[in-house]
Amino acid sequence: MARDAIADAPYPAHPRSAMDGFAVRAEDGVGPRAIVGEVRMGHAPPGAVGSGQAMRIPTGGAVPEGADSVVPVEDADERDGSVVPGEAPQRGYAITPTGEDMRRGDLILRAGIRLDARALGVLATLGITAIPVWRRPRVAIISTGDELIDPDKVPGPGQIRDSNRYGIAAALRGVGAEPVHHPRALDDPAKLEAAIERARAESDAIVLSGGSSVGVRDLVPRAIDRLGKPGVVVHGLRVRPGKPTVLAALDEKPVIGLPGNPMSALMIFRTIAEPIFRRLTGEAEPRGVPAFARAATALVGRPGWTWFVPVNVEIDGVERKIKQLPIRSSHTSLLARADGFVIIPEDRPRIEAGEAIEVHPFLQ
Amino acid sequence: MARDAIADAPYPAHPRSAMDGFAVRAEDGVGPRAIVGEVRMGHAPPGAVGSGQAMRIPTGGAVPEGADSVVPVEDADERDGSVVPGEAPQRGYAITPTGEDMRRGDLILRAGIRLDARALGVLATLGITAIPVWRRPRVAIISTGDELIDPDKVPGPGQIRDSNRYGIAAALRGVGAEPVHHPRALDDPAKLEAAIERARAESDAIVLSGGSSVGVRDLVPRAIDRLGKPGVVVHGLRVRPGKPTVLAALDEKPVIGLPGNPMSALMIFRTIAEPIFRRLTGEAEPRGVPAFARAATALVGRPGWTWFVPVNVEIDGVERKIKQLPIRSSHTSLLARADGFVIIPEDRPRIEAGEAIEVHPFLQ
């Protein structure tokens, strides 16, 4: 959502009854009232309520002029066209006054939220049936590597299936971007440059996957640097998995080089790329409630490095216990098995057994 | 996903190098090796490695016949067409053997998971480019109530905007169903029956919203009961908000009557309807990690009743603190402000200040 949603009027716009009963004047005390009519749902009251009068009213019905209290039907003794309250009505009882929910001018939803079920319902309540939104950024996906084959082929020696691009595409959709698949680029400088240049012309951002073996490790950053400014900003992160990450830009367009291993690619997408795409889509940081669990055994990282450790979370009575999985960045099976991951920070590379630590989901 | 995903072959299918270096025979010890060729990414090795020989190999390259160890490039002294390892190579070092990630026949992803970014990447790795899925159930949405008007109209006295259906539609999409908007039904038995009958013919399930004021409280359950068996199973839940909930079925088709108030409707959708739709879509219970926070003050419910309490979660140092919001089921502004909700169970209606309690998100 690209603009705040403001209440243009008080809600409710008119006083309404919070119960089924009779609209009366409190000042009439416990005396009997003549029933002078009935408020129907969705209609203005058929008239006003005067002294000594009452009007039948349903939950949500508009409170008639003159009435300042509602006697619930279960507290009312009705006979012969009149009604007697069980006790003296309190002024304002069972009436929702104008503006109790929202006042005119109240900020109800902030720009930057995602238009989810809750937001759409709230906007409809406010009468907002159209609101400016940020355009979905188009993000080109290019996988690189001579070893890649299509997923429907059987890998020969040294070959692997080009699978990351499908996970990346779904993850991009999840953050509100529109993924666009581009053909695989071979490990050839001219072809890689041409592929990036094409993607740049058609997209708002580019995600490259793979290209970190010795011969090609520098192909991607070199191609980016040749194509424009500012070029490569970061090449290599002190993280595990995900060290060979490349962060770059061509003019205003982010170019992100994800590692080729599936575990590394998803971890870096989640921790590094996702916040960048969130900026591109205009989405504010989501106000989620973090999930914590206790380390079943000590988790040991490496000083000066940030580790992203895939974990299983096991229920142990009322406790949730974290069980560390190995970081094997090439292992697809680990990716399938993990419930999430924990971060071991560079400045505190040991988390003791029993410590509570945040567990991040793989997908936001 | 309607079928388990099984590995049809070992992964990797062939031994591959985990580092850039030289493929050698461990038995040759620290002796020099003649470099007899180079493994290229994505290609079968150009030949075998014999005694006293070595072959250049990149990370991910196919290990040649005869080699049983890889000497990392940084531990190798290369000169004049031969290479000397810094120390005696260990058998299997830096080689990922066939099947280390997955063995043929391993169950990798279970039927019932959602095809998200992770699953799509894993399936592509397994070469599964098509897999049976459960059909999205079509769910009819009918809002009821003479007080409802279109969201682009300005409410007169006693009128409110028909907003719940938009939130419900988005929530249905979120659980994998396909929402179908049906026209509003007025509070008239014949028209309501006709509307439900039409929806039943075209849909796999029906969600009704509203219709809980005194005059119409029983219209929805009566209409359902007249239309078929088993009809209404539950009318009224000891929950707050959401008491007037109706749970019914016509033959095999679930019919869910949500309360008309926006907060009640979303709470009941989330806690009661969502698990029902999850069954319809074939989705297994998601393996999320629950989020906990501490009650800032005691939370007090009511014995014999289950309360769903909207909350804000505030960060207080490393602690997350729950701040209770009032349960005002008609208040849209509360819905916009809450970070989630907590459940106060019927058999333990008091949660003490400082207790940790699970916070449920509004949207799954």
Side-chain angles (χ1 to χ4, degrees), chain B residues 28-59:
Chain B
D28 290 342
V30 293
R33 277 85 164 168
I35 301 172
V36 295
E38 175 172 1
V39 178
R40 286 164 56 216
M41 282 306 280
H43 291 84
V49 168
S51 190
Q53 296 184 330
M55 199 176 281
R56 215 180 290 275
I57 192 166
T59 303

PDB file of all heavy atoms in Angstrom, chain B residues 28-59:
ATOM      1  N   ASP B  28      49.441 -42.699  -3.489  1.00  0.00           N
ATOM      2  CA  ASP B  28      50.696 -42.148  -3.987  1.00  0.00           C
ATOM      3  C   ASP B  28      51.392 -41.273  -2.948  1.00  0.00           C
ATOM      4  O   ASP B  28      52.508 -40.778  -3.191  1.00  0.00           O
ATOM      5  CB  ASP B  28      50.456 -41.327  -5.260  1.00  0.00           C
ATOM      6  CG  ASP B  28      50.090 -42.208  -6.454  1.00  0.00           C
ATOM      7  OD1 ASP B  28      50.359 -43.430  -6.390  1.00  0.00           O
ATOM      8  OD2 ASP B  28      49.526 -41.671  -7.426  1.00  0.00           O
ATOM      9  N   GLY B  29      50.721 -41.031  -1.809  1.00  0.00           N
ATOM     10  CA  GLY B  29      51.358 -40.299  -0.710  1.00  0.00           C
ATOM     11  C   GLY B  29      51.754 -38.889  -1.100  1.00  0.00           C
ATOM     12  O   GLY B  29      51.002 -38.190  -1.783  1.00  0.00           O
ATOM     13  N   VAL B  30      52.950 -38.458  -0.625  1.00  0.00           N
ATOM     14  CA  VAL B  30      53.371 -37.075  -0.859  1.00  0.00           C
ATOM     15  C   VAL B  30      54.157 -36.925  -2.159  1.00  0.00           C
ATOM     16  O   VAL B  30      54.707 -35.853  -2.442  1.00  0.00           O
ATOM     17  CB  VAL B  30      54.220 -36.538   0.320  1.00  0.00           C
ATOM     18  CG1 VAL B  30      53.368 -36.417   1.579  1.00  0.00           C
ATOM     19  CG2 VAL B  30      55.418 -37.441   0.574  1.00  0.00           C
ATOM     20  N   GLY B  31      54.238 -37.963  -2.945  1.00  0.00           N
ATOM     21  CA  GLY B  31      55.011 -37.899  -4.174  1.00  0.00           C
ATOM     22  C   GLY B  31      54.423 -36.965  -5.216  1.00  0.00           C
ATOM     23  O   GLY B  31      53.247 -36.622  -5.148  1.00  0.00           O
ATOM     24  N   PRO B  32      55.209 -36.530  -6.174  1.00  0.00           N
ATOM     25  CA  PRO B  32      54.714 -35.664  -7.240  1.00  0.00           C
ATOM     26  C   PRO B  32      53.845 -36.456  -8.218  1.00  0.00           C
ATOM     27  O   PRO B  32      54.014 -37.658  -8.365  1.00  0.00           O
ATOM     28  CB  PRO B  32      55.987 -35.185  -7.934  1.00  0.00           C
ATOM     29  CG  PRO B  32      57.017 -36.229  -7.621  1.00  0.00           C
ATOM     30  CD  PRO B  32      56.621 -36.877  -6.330  1.00  0.00           C
ATOM     31  N   ARG B  33      52.852 -35.739  -8.830  1.00  0.00           N
ATOM     32  CA  ARG B  33      51.967 -36.362  -9.821  1.00  0.00           C
ATOM     33  C   ARG B  33      52.059 -35.581 -11.124  1.00  0.00           C
ATOM     34  O   ARG B  33      52.059 -34.352 -11.107  1.00  0.00           O
ATOM     35  CB  ARG B  33      50.506 -36.311  -9.388  1.00  0.00           C
ATOM     36  CG  ARG B  33      50.045 -37.397  -8.429  1.00  0.00           C
ATOM     37  CD  ARG B  33      50.319 -37.069  -7.002  1.00  0.00           C
ATOM     38  NE  ARG B  33      49.535 -37.945  -6.115  1.00  0.00           N
ATOM     39  CZ  ARG B  33      49.739 -38.043  -4.821  1.00  0.00           C
ATOM     40  NH1 ARG B  33      50.727 -37.380  -4.233  1.00  0.00           N
ATOM     41  NH2 ARG B  33      48.972 -38.821  -4.104  1.00  0.00           N
ATOM     42  N   ALA B  34      52.027 -36.310 -12.206  1.00  0.00           N
ATOM     43  CA  ALA B  34      51.966 -35.654 -13.524  1.00  0.00           C
ATOM     44  C   ALA B  34      50.529 -35.207 -13.774  1.00  0.00           C
ATOM     45  O   ALA B  34      49.594 -35.975 -13.577  1.00  0.00           O
ATOM     46  CB  ALA B  34      52.390 -36.646 -14.608  1.00  0.00           C
ATOM     47  N   ILE B  35      50.346 -33.954 -14.161  1.00  0.00           N
ATOM     48  CA  ILE B  35      48.990 -33.450 -14.441  1.00  0.00           C
ATOM     49  C   ILE B  35      48.592 -33.930 -15.837  1.00  0.00           C
ATOM     50  O   ILE B  35      49.195 -33.534 -16.832  1.00  0.00           O
ATOM     51  CB  ILE B  35      48.940 -31.913 -14.345  1.00  0.00           C
ATOM     52  CG1 ILE B  35      49.362 -31.468 -12.928  1.00  0.00           C
ATOM     53  CG2 ILE B  35      47.538 -31.390 -14.664  1.00  0.00           C
ATOM     54  CD1 ILE B  35      49.536 -29.979 -12.765  1.00  0.00           C
ATOM     55  N   VAL B  36      47.596 -34.808 -15.876  1.00  0.00           N
ATOM     56  CA  VAL B  36      47.257 -35.464 -17.152  1.00  0.00           C
ATOM     57  C   VAL B  36      46.011 -34.869 -17.805  1.00  0.00           C
ATOM     58  O   VAL B  36      45.562 -35.360 -18.840  1.00  0.00           O
ATOM     59  CB  VAL B  36      47.048 -36.990 -16.957  1.00  0.00           C
ATOM     60  CG1 VAL B  36      48.352 -37.647 -16.519  1.00  0.00           C
ATOM     61  CG2 VAL B  36      45.920 -37.262 -15.952  1.00  0.00           C
ATOM     62  N   GLY B  37      45.456 -33.834 -17.227  1.00  0.00           N
ATOM     63  CA  GLY B  37      44.272 -33.244 -17.876  1.00  0.00           C
ATOM     64  C   GLY B  37      43.479 -32.403 -16.899  1.00  0.00           C
ATOM     65  O   GLY B  37      43.933 -32.105 -15.787  1.00  0.00           O
ATOM     66  N   GLU B  38      42.307 -32.022 -17.337  1.00  0.00           N
ATOM     67  CA  GLU B  38      41.482 -31.121 -16.538  1.00  0.00           C
ATOM     68  C   GLU B  38      40.018 -31.539 -16.657  1.00  0.00           C
ATOM     69  O   GLU B  38      39.518 -31.768 -17.770  1.00  0.00           O
ATOM     70  CB  GLU B  38      41.651 -29.687 -17.053  1.00  0.00           C
ATOM     71  CG  GLU B  38      40.744 -28.704 -16.356  1.00  0.00           C
ATOM     72  CD  GLU B  38      41.054 -27.262 -16.729  1.00  0.00           C
ATOM     73  OE1 GLU B  38      41.971 -27.040 -17.555  1.00  0.00           O
ATOM     74  OE2 GLU B  38      40.374 -26.369 -16.198  1.00  0.00           O
ATOM     75  N   VAL B  39      39.342 -31.630 -15.537  1.00  0.00           N
ATOM     76  CA  VAL B  39      37.898 -31.887 -15.550  1.00  0.00           C
ATOM     77  C   VAL B  39      37.203 -30.551 -15.773  1.00  0.00           C
ATOM     78  O   VAL B  39      37.504 -29.572 -15.091  1.00  0.00           O
ATOM     79  CB  VAL B  39      37.435 -32.504 -14.215  1.00  0.00           C
ATOM     80  CG1 VAL B  39      35.922 -32.710 -14.228  1.00  0.00           C
ATOM     81  CG2 VAL B  39      38.161 -33.814 -13.943  1.00  0.00           C
ATOM     82  N   ARG B  40      36.314 -30.514 -16.748  1.00  0.00           N
ATOM     83  CA  ARG B  40      35.560 -29.274 -16.981  1.00  0.00           C
ATOM     84  C   ARG B  40      34.174 -29.410 -16.381  1.00  0.00           C
ATOM     85  O   ARG B  40      33.590 -30.490 -16.366  1.00  0.00           O
ATOM     86  CB  ARG B  40      35.483 -28.983 -18.483  1.00  0.00           C
ATOM     87  CG  ARG B  40      36.821 -28.465 -19.037  1.00  0.00           C
ATOM     88  CD  ARG B  40      36.861 -28.540 -20.542  1.00  0.00           C
ATOM     89  NE  ARG B  40      35.741 -27.802 -21.118  1.00  0.00           N
ATOM     90  CZ  ARG B  40      35.080 -28.170 -22.211  1.00  0.00           C
ATOM     91  NH1 ARG B  40      35.405 -29.269 -22.851  1.00  0.00           N
ATOM     92  NH2 ARG B  40      34.089 -27.427 -22.663  1.00  0.00           N
ATOM     93  N   MET B  41      33.654 -28.296 -15.894  1.00  0.00           N
ATOM     94  CA  MET B  41      32.329 -28.279 -15.281  1.00  0.00           C
ATOM     95  C   MET B  41      31.301 -28.811 -16.274  1.00  0.00           C
ATOM     96  O   MET B  41      31.268 -28.397 -17.431  1.00  0.00           O
ATOM     97  CB  MET B  41      31.919 -26.851 -14.902  1.00  0.00           C
ATOM     98  CG  MET B  41      32.551 -26.326 -13.642  1.00  0.00           C
ATOM     99  SD  MET B  41      32.319 -27.386 -12.196  1.00  0.00           S
ATOM    100  CE  MET B  41      30.649 -26.935 -11.707  1.00  0.00           C
ATOM    101  N   GLY B  42      30.478 -29.727 -15.806  1.00  0.00           N
ATOM    102  CA  GLY B  42      29.379 -30.203 -16.628  1.00  0.00           C
ATOM    103  C   GLY B  42      29.778 -31.234 -17.660  1.00  0.00           C
ATOM    104  O   GLY B  42      28.956 -31.628 -18.479  1.00  0.00           O
ATOM    105  N   HIS B  43      31.022 -31.675 -17.603  1.00  0.00           N
ATOM    106  CA  HIS B  43      31.471 -32.683 -18.562  1.00  0.00           C
ATOM    107  C   HIS B  43      32.030 -33.888 -17.828  1.00  0.00           C
ATOM    108  O   HIS B  43      32.534 -33.766 -16.712  1.00  0.00           O
ATOM    109  CB  HIS B  43      32.554 -32.103 -19.481  1.00  0.00           C
ATOM    110  CG  HIS B  43      32.031 -31.079 -20.429  1.00  0.00           C
ATOM    111  ND1 HIS B  43      31.875 -29.755 -20.069  1.00  0.00           N
ATOM    112  CD2 HIS B  43      31.585 -31.182 -21.704  1.00  0.00           C
ATOM    113  CE1 HIS B  43      31.380 -29.079 -21.095  1.00  0.00           C
ATOM    114  NE2 HIS B  43      31.197 -29.916 -22.110  1.00  0.00           N
ATOM    115  N   ALA B  44      31.954 -35.025 -18.477  1.00  0.00           N
ATOM    116  CA  ALA B  44      32.616 -36.203 -17.935  1.00  0.00           C
ATOM    117  C   ALA B  44      34.124 -35.954 -17.973  1.00  0.00           C
ATOM    118  O   ALA B  44      34.616 -35.213 -18.829  1.00  0.00           O
ATOM    119  CB  ALA B  44      32.244 -37.430 -18.771  1.00  0.00           C
ATOM    120  N   PRO B  45      34.841 -36.528 -17.025  1.00  0.00           N
ATOM    121  CA  PRO B  45      36.304 -36.352 -17.030  1.00  0.00           C
ATOM    122  C   PRO B  45      36.886 -36.863 -18.350  1.00  0.00           C
ATOM    123  O   PRO B  45      36.353 -37.813 -18.936  1.00  0.00           O
ATOM    124  CB  PRO B  45      36.766 -37.211 -15.856  1.00  0.00           C
ATOM    125  CG  PRO B  45      35.557 -37.422 -14.997  1.00  0.00           C
ATOM    126  CD  PRO B  45      34.384 -37.402 -15.936  1.00  0.00           C
ATOM    127  N   PRO B  46      37.976 -36.240 -18.816  1.00  0.00           N
ATOM    128  CA  PRO B  46      38.558 -36.636 -20.105  1.00  0.00           C
ATOM    129  C   PRO B  46      39.232 -38.005 -20.052  1.00  0.00           C
ATOM    130  O   PRO B  46      39.657 -38.528 -21.077  1.00  0.00           O
ATOM    131  CB  PRO B  46      39.562 -35.518 -20.392  1.00  0.00           C
ATOM    132  CG  PRO B  46      39.909 -34.946 -19.054  1.00  0.00           C
ATOM    133  CD  PRO B  46      38.679 -35.109 -18.210  1.00  0.00           C
ATOM    134  N   GLY B  47      39.346 -38.595 -18.859  1.00  0.00           N
ATOM    135  CA  GLY B  47      39.971 -39.912 -18.769  1.00  0.00           C
ATOM    136  C   GLY B  47      40.108 -40.300 -17.317  1.00  0.00           C
ATOM    137  O   GLY B  47      39.523 -39.648 -16.436  1.00  0.00           O
ATOM    138  N   ALA B  48      40.885 -41.352 -17.037  1.00  0.00           N
ATOM    139  CA  ALA B  48      41.074 -41.818 -15.665  1.00  0.00           C
ATOM    140  C   ALA B  48      42.367 -41.252 -15.102  1.00  0.00           C
ATOM    141  O   ALA B  48      43.202 -40.706 -15.836  1.00  0.00           O
ATOM    142  CB  ALA B  48      41.095 -43.340 -15.640  1.00  0.00           C
ATOM    143  N   VAL B  49      42.504 -41.365 -13.773  1.00  0.00           N
ATOM    144  CA  VAL B  49      43.734 -40.949 -13.097  1.00  0.00           C
ATOM    145  C   VAL B  49      44.463 -42.216 -12.662  1.00  0.00           C
ATOM    146  O   VAL B  49      43.937 -43.019 -11.889  1.00  0.00           O
ATOM    147  CB  VAL B  49      43.419 -40.053 -11.879  1.00  0.00           C
ATOM    148  CG1 VAL B  49      44.663 -39.864 -11.014  1.00  0.00           C
ATOM    149  CG2 VAL B  49      42.877 -38.701 -12.336  1.00  0.00           C
ATOM    150  N   GLY B  50      45.650 -42.405 -13.194  1.00  0.00           N
ATOM    151  CA  GLY B  50      46.432 -43.587 -12.843  1.00  0.00           C
ATOM    152  C   GLY B  50      47.412 -43.279 -11.731  1.00  0.00           C
ATOM    153  O   GLY B  50      47.478 -42.155 -11.218  1.00  0.00           O
ATOM    154  N   SER B  51      48.183 -44.266 -11.365  1.00  0.00           N
ATOM    155  CA  SER B  51      49.210 -44.115 -10.343  1.00  0.00           C
ATOM    156  C   SER B  51      50.188 -43.035 -10.793  1.00  0.00           C
ATOM    157  O   SER B  51      50.599 -43.001 -11.955  1.00  0.00           O
ATOM    158  CB  SER B  51      49.925 -45.458 -10.177  1.00  0.00           C
ATOM    159  OG  SER B  51      50.760 -45.410  -9.057  1.00  0.00           O
ATOM    160  N   GLY B  52      50.517 -42.097  -9.853  1.00  0.00           N
ATOM    161  CA  GLY B  52      51.456 -41.034 -10.185  1.00  0.00           C
ATOM    162  C   GLY B  52      50.856 -39.951 -11.054  1.00  0.00           C
ATOM    163  O   GLY B  52      51.568 -39.104 -11.595  1.00  0.00           O
ATOM    164  N   GLN B  53      49.545 -39.928 -11.195  1.00  0.00           N
ATOM    165  CA  GLN B  53      48.906 -38.908 -12.030  1.00  0.00           C
ATOM    166  C   GLN B  53      47.960 -38.042 -11.202  1.00  0.00           C
ATOM    167  O   GLN B  53      47.534 -38.413 -10.109  1.00  0.00           O
ATOM    168  CB  GLN B  53      48.118 -39.575 -13.156  1.00  0.00           C
ATOM    169  CG  GLN B  53      49.012 -40.363 -14.118  1.00  0.00           C
ATOM    170  CD  GLN B  53      48.229 -40.936 -15.285  1.00  0.00           C
ATOM    171  OE1 GLN B  53      47.046 -41.256 -15.160  1.00  0.00           O
ATOM    172  NE2 GLN B  53      48.897 -41.052 -16.421  1.00  0.00           N
ATOM    173  N   ALA B  54      47.632 -36.888 -11.766  1.00  0.00           N
ATOM    174  CA  ALA B  54      46.652 -35.985 -11.147  1.00  0.00           C
ATOM    175  C   ALA B  54      45.869 -35.307 -12.251  1.00  0.00           C
ATOM    176  O   ALA B  54      46.344 -35.193 -13.381  1.00  0.00           O
ATOM    177  CB  ALA B  54      47.340 -34.927 -10.283  1.00  0.00           C
ATOM    178  N   MET B  55      44.631 -34.903 -11.920  1.00  0.00           N
ATOM    179  CA  MET B  55      43.817 -34.179 -12.897  1.00  0.00           C
ATOM    180  C   MET B  55      43.234 -32.939 -12.215  1.00  0.00           C
ATOM    181  O   MET B  55      42.724 -33.030 -11.095  1.00  0.00           O
ATOM    182  CB  MET B  55      42.697 -35.089 -13.422  1.00  0.00           C
ATOM    183  CG  MET B  55      42.104 -34.600 -14.733  1.00  0.00           C
ATOM    184  SD  MET B  55      40.860 -35.769 -15.368  1.00  0.00           S
ATOM    185  CE  MET B  55      41.898 -37.032 -16.084  1.00  0.00           C
ATOM    186  N   ARG B  56      43.396 -31.811 -12.866  1.00  0.00           N
ATOM    187  CA  ARG B  56      42.829 -30.563 -12.344  1.00  0.00           C
ATOM    188  C   ARG B  56      41.306 -30.711 -12.257  1.00  0.00           C
ATOM    189  O   ARG B  56      40.690 -31.266 -13.177  1.00  0.00           O
ATOM    190  CB  ARG B  56      43.173 -29.440 -13.321  1.00  0.00           C
ATOM    191  CG  ARG B  56      43.441 -28.106 -12.706  1.00  0.00           C
ATOM    192  CD  ARG B  56      43.758 -27.085 -13.781  1.00  0.00           C
ATOM    193  NE  ARG B  56      45.050 -27.308 -14.415  1.00  0.00           N
ATOM    194  CZ  ARG B  56      46.227 -26.853 -13.925  1.00  0.00           C
ATOM    195  NH1 ARG B  56      46.248 -26.156 -12.796  1.00  0.00           N
ATOM    196  NH2 ARG B  56      47.355 -27.085 -14.560  1.00  0.00           N
ATOM    197  N   ILE B  57      40.706 -30.221 -11.173  1.00  0.00           N
ATOM    198  CA  ILE B  57      39.259 -30.400 -11.009  1.00  0.00           C
ATOM    199  C   ILE B  57      38.660 -29.187 -10.289  1.00  0.00           C
ATOM    200  O   ILE B  57      39.245 -28.688  -9.327  1.00  0.00           O
ATOM    201  CB  ILE B  57      38.954 -31.729 -10.255  1.00  0.00           C
ATOM    202  CG1 ILE B  57      37.461 -32.074 -10.331  1.00  0.00           C
ATOM    203  CG2 ILE B  57      39.399 -31.658  -8.798  1.00  0.00           C
ATOM    204  CD1 ILE B  57      37.172 -33.520  -9.919  1.00  0.00           C
ATOM    205  N   PRO B  58      37.512 -28.695 -10.781  1.00  0.00           N
ATOM    206  CA  PRO B  58      36.863 -27.571 -10.089  1.00  0.00           C
ATOM    207  C   PRO B  58      35.860 -28.078  -9.043  1.00  0.00           C
ATOM    208  O   PRO B  58      35.460 -29.240  -9.074  1.00  0.00           O
ATOM    209  CB  PRO B  58      36.128 -26.849 -11.215  1.00  0.00           C
ATOM    210  CG  PRO B  58      35.757 -27.956 -12.163  1.00  0.00           C
ATOM    211  CD  PRO B  58      36.817 -29.021 -12.042  1.00  0.00           C
ATOM    212  N   THR B  59      35.428 -27.208  -8.134  1.00  0.00           N
ATOM    213  CA  THR B  59      34.360 -27.527  -7.189  1.00  0.00           C
ATOM    214  C   THR B  59      33.128 -27.967  -7.975  1.00  0.00           C
ATOM    215  O   THR B  59      32.693 -27.267  -8.879  1.00  0.00           O
ATOM    216  CB  THR B  59      33.999 -26.284  -6.349  1.00  0.00           C
ATOM    217  OG1 THR B  59      35.167 -25.822  -5.686  1.00  0.00           O
ATOM    218  CG2 THR B  59      32.934 -26.604  -5.319  1.00  0.00           C
TER     219      THR B  59
END
